[in-house]
Amino acid sequence: MAHSRREFLQLSSAAALGLAAYRLPQQYRIDGPTAPPLSDPTFKELAMRALDAAKSAGAEYADVRISQNRNQAIQAREHRVQNLTDSETFGFGVRVLVKGAWGFAASRDLSPDEMVRVARQAVAQAQANRAALERPVVLAPVTPTANGAWRGPAEIDPFDVPTEEKVALLLDANAAALKVAGAKFVNSGMCFLREEKTLAASDGTYVVQTIFRSQPQMTVTAVSPDFSDFQSRQSNDVQPMGRGYEHVRDAKMVDNATRWATEAVQKLAAKPVDVGRYDLVLHPTHLWLTIHESIAHPTELDRAMGYEANYAGTSFVAPPQKMLGQFRYGPELMNIQGDRNQPGSLSACGWDDEGVVPDTFMIIKKGIVNDYQTTREQAPWLDWWYKKQGIKPHSHGCSYAQSWEDIQFQRMPNVSLLPGEKEQSFEDLIAATDKGIAIVGEGSFSIDQQRYNAQFGGQLFYEIKGGKVVGMLKDVAYQMRTPEFWNSMDMIGGKKSYQLGGAFNDGKGQPSQSNAVSHGCVPARFKQINVINTGRKA
């Protein structure tokens, strides 16, 4: 049921009283990002108790994650609030390694006795899992961090901002969009996460982190006067970030709503695209998703090794023995970097969920496959490759679990297309193109299980003739085979054109878990790509 602003304020006041009535036991609470959890011995004592119990029960390795996650999502449509969710979860998980087999157990009861019970349960689980063990798990070494703390670059904690202020901003933005003639529907929303977690491992690591994520968003739909067509514009130029509420304020949703609505209306009068081959000039707000689906996913090592087949497919970048140092993914100007340290990126952290300080590594170097995304368990699988490079097998810090009740496994870091040496902008690439289409913003897409054949849409499409934009197009989608597509890239932007895009909820695993990841990139041009008309009737 949707509510007006007045109704919402009445309901939210009552809800606030209900939330205030729920409190975690004081001795087990993390009171916020300004609190010094390392100075509170409670968490460390509890974690050490679990580690001791696991080791005593036979574990050769164990780690404990204690985390408190708070999520909030607000959705509004036109002049009413449609939905508000505000949830918090708090608990711990224990992972152990027993004679090469993993075991995991979790609980929301942070009591000393429960810590011991859960640790022993994890060991029992590992012992049972040995019956199905094909090869023992071997962990790559890690340099432990005895007492570490990291906090994401949030200037304003989103949960310190009154819900009423957030709702007022959404409704004001909706009202601004609806003032544009032809704009008939508008949906807006905000999503926030604050994740506070403590990790203790039997190898000597003890670290505490606070991670923030924020995503403001809007979709405006315009309808033609005769109701024969409708077109939408999403706010893709405002991407989710690993920042606080200042990201929402910087997005200036009220000011931008008019432009987004105007562009939705303009799409109604746009010329349907003629099918054929075009040079595509892709803006970073669009290209990040193509990178995510056609580069970041297929270079996850568990996919390449066949361990992710059931949920979301494997990878054409396999087997590693035939790919690393040999397979040409793209031209020499193509360099793809993995990292978890870009300021404001969704995957940024001080340590991954195995206590590894993530490094910066080249997944594709001068167009050639150079590495995969790895965890401590996966790095030894590429021992032969790392020895060939003269380096020791090591995790790139790609281990993550969405919550205390989920076991950590390999998740995507930031995967980014690095800028070229020449300083070129999106407009410069358009000026250098004789016949093409410029695409802004991500849209619908489809891709096969191995990330080899795909089709991508977008938000805004502009026809290019003689180096100039001559009008707007609609019903545009391009088809691609991944290596052919990336090898057609002949121009990229420079450092000043680099932007971060990203996904707030990227699913993987069974049971499924959600991860947030950013993809930095520059504008790029791709030669003679097949374009279809998605509006053409059969």
Side-chain angles (χ1 to χ4, degrees):
M1 180 183 294
H3 299 284
S4 66
R5 182 182 299 188
R6 176 176 295 179
E7 293 168 335
F8 174 79
L9 293 177
Q10 293 172 343
L11 290 170
S12 64
S13 297
L17 290 174
L19 285 172
Y22 172 72
R23 289 289 184 269
L24 295 166
Q26 184 62 39
Q27 65 269 36
Y28 305 138
R29 288 190 65 211
I30 299 176
D31 290 325
T34 59
L38 284 174
S39 66
D40 183 348
T42 303
F43 292 111
K44 196 164 190 176
E45 290 173 3
L46 290 171
M48 293 305 114
R49 182 179 287 266
L51 292 179
D52 290 343
K55 296 286 283 185
S56 297
E60 59 253 32
Y61 169 84
D63 56 44
V64 182
R65 287 177 296 107
I66 304 171
S67 71
Q68 180 181 21
N69 287 18
R70 186 172 177 186
N71 291 271
Q72 185 183 72
I74 307 170
Q75 286 87 37
R77 176 170 175 175
E78 285 87 58
H79 304 294
R80 304 177 77 84
V81 178
Q82 277 201 310
N83 189 43
L84 165 64
T85 60
D86 196 328
S87 62
E88 190 171 47
T89 180
F90 188 52
F92 74 99
V94 180
R95 185 182 67 157
V96 302
L97 196 59
V98 179
K99 295 182 180 179
W102 287 118
F104 178 78
S107 174
R108 59 171 49 90
D109 176 10
L110 271 78
S111 65
D113 290 344
E114 183 70 352
M115 284 283 181
V116 172
R117 185 194 71 80
V118 169
R120 291 173 177 168
Q121 182 181 353
V123 171
Q125 181 66 59
Q127 291 169 338
N129 288 342
R130 293 191 67 246
L133 189 66
E134 292 186 358
R135 60 179 178 182
V137 172
V138 177
L139 299 181
V142 63
T143 301
T145 303
N147 285 288
W150 186 91
R151 185 180 187 273
E155 298 173 14
I156 305 171
D157 188 326
F159 299 97
D160 289 342
V161 179
T163 303
E164 294 84 354
E165 179 180 329
K166 299 169 184 173
V167 168
L169 176 58
L170 292 177
L171 295 180
D172 288 345
N174 288 1
L178 291 171
K179 289 180 181 178
V180 176
K184 298 299 183 182
F185 308 102
V186 57
N187 294 273
S188 60
M190 301 179 189
C191 298
F192 304 103
L193 165 73
R194 184 181 67 214
E195 179 180 11
E196 299 167 283
K197 57 185 178 182
T198 297
L199 171 69
S202 58
D203 55 19
T205 289
Y206 184 80
V207 294
V208 177
Q209 303 187 79
T210 304
I211 295 171
F212 295 92
R213 296 178 190 142
S214 299
Q215 180 177 29
Q217 55 190 338
M218 172 177 280
T219 301
V220 184
T221 301
V223 181
S224 61
D226 63 356
F227 303 103
S228 63
D229 190 16
F230 68 91
Q231 296 289 334
S232 63
R233 168 68 160 112
Q234 297 176 15
S235 56
N236 307 81
D237 37 338
V238 178
Q239 291 288 332
M241 297 286 284
R243 300 175 60 200
Y245 192 74
E246 68 276 4
H247 179 48
V248 175
R249 293 183 178 174
D250 292 346
K252 298 181 179 179
M253 293 183 71
V254 176
D255 295 339
N256 283 317
T258 300
R259 174 172 60 85
W260 295 327
T262 300
E263 290 170 342
V265 173
Q266 290 172 345
K267 290 173 71 172
L268 294 171
K271 183 178 74 172
V273 68
D274 292 325
V275 299
R277 291 191 173 271
Y278 296 83
D279 294 347
L280 300 184
V281 180
L282 304 183
H283 192 270
T285 56
H286 170 87
L287 188 56
W288 76 263
L289 181 60
T290 309
I291 292 170
H292 177 85
E293 298 296 341
S294 68
I295 299 177
H297 273 311
T299 57
E300 294 175 290
L301 187 54
D302 54 357
R303 290 181 188 272
M305 298 292 286
Y307 295 126
E308 185 61 18
N310 288 343
Y311 178 75
T314 54
S315 169
F316 78 93
V317 192
Q321 290 83 351
K322 293 185 178 181
M323 293 289 160
L324 287 168
Q326 302 177 62
F327 184 76
R328 179 160 290 282
Y329 220 106
E332 284 202 3
L333 55 81
M334 180 183 183
N335 292 287
I336 300 293
Q337 174 182 287
D339 69 75
R340 299 187 71 178
N341 58 18
Q342 293 186 63
S345 61
L346 292 166
S347 190
C349 64
W351 301 267
D352 77 346
D353 281 351
E354 292 182 319
V356 175
V357 177
D359 62 356
T360 298
F361 61 106
M362 297 306 299
I363 297 174
I364 298 174
K365 188 175 182 180
K366 293 185 177 181
I368 303 296
V369 175
N370 183 70
D371 213 336
Y372 291 84
Q373 306 158 45
T374 60
T375 63
R376 291 186 67 188
E377 176 183 359
Q378 295 172 338
W381 301 349
L382 301 180
D383 178 68
W384 60 273
W385 173 247
Y386 293 129
K387 285 182 178 178
K388 188 176 181 179
Q389 306 304 306
I391 56 178
K392 294 181 179 180
H394 63 285
S395 168
H396 290 309
C398 300
S399 178
Y400 178 77
Q402 69 176 2
S403 175
W404 54 269
E405 61 185 341
D406 299 292
I407 189 168
Q408 59 267 58
F409 68 122
Q410 190 273 309
R411 297 310 311 269
M412 190 186 299
N414 303 316
V415 176
S416 305
L417 172 65
L418 297 184
E421 295 180 359
K422 184 178 179 181
E423 197 57 70
Q424 300 181 105
S425 66
F426 182 60
E427 291 74 19
D428 291 333
L429 270 58
I430 290 174
T433 302
D434 184 50
K435 178 190 175 185
I437 300 173
I439 303 179
V440 176
E442 80 269 14
S444 61
F445 74 94
S446 61
I447 194 163
D448 69 19
Q449 292 284 65
Q450 289 201 315
R451 309 284 158 165
Y452 188 77
N453 298 283
Q455 177 175 307
F456 288 88
Q459 289 299 306
L460 302 174
F461 312 98
Y462 298 97
E463 185 176 11
I464 304 169
K465 287 186 177 181
K468 295 182 179 179
V469 171
V470 296
M472 184 179 280
L473 298 171
K474 64 180 177 181
D475 304 329
V476 176
Y478 61 90
Q479 297 175 319
M480 58 178 274
R481 290 186 177 92
T482 297
E484 294 175 10
F485 174 79
W486 285 103
N487 275 285
S488 76
M489 182 173 65
D490 71 336
M491 292 183 71
I492 59 175
K495 291 181 180 179
K496 293 181 180 179
S497 64
Y498 184 86
Q499 296 183 26
L500 281 177
F504 208 86
N505 295 292
D506 177 44
K508 183 182 176 182
Q510 290 181 305
S512 177
Q513 293 190 41
S514 181
N515 179 45
V517 60
S518 292
H519 301 287
C521 61
V522 292
R525 188 176 73 174
F526 299 81
K527 300 288 287 184
Q528 293 299 291
I529 304 302
N530 192 51
V531 170
I532 64 173
N533 185 314
T534 60
R536 177 173 292 182
K537 296 181 180 179

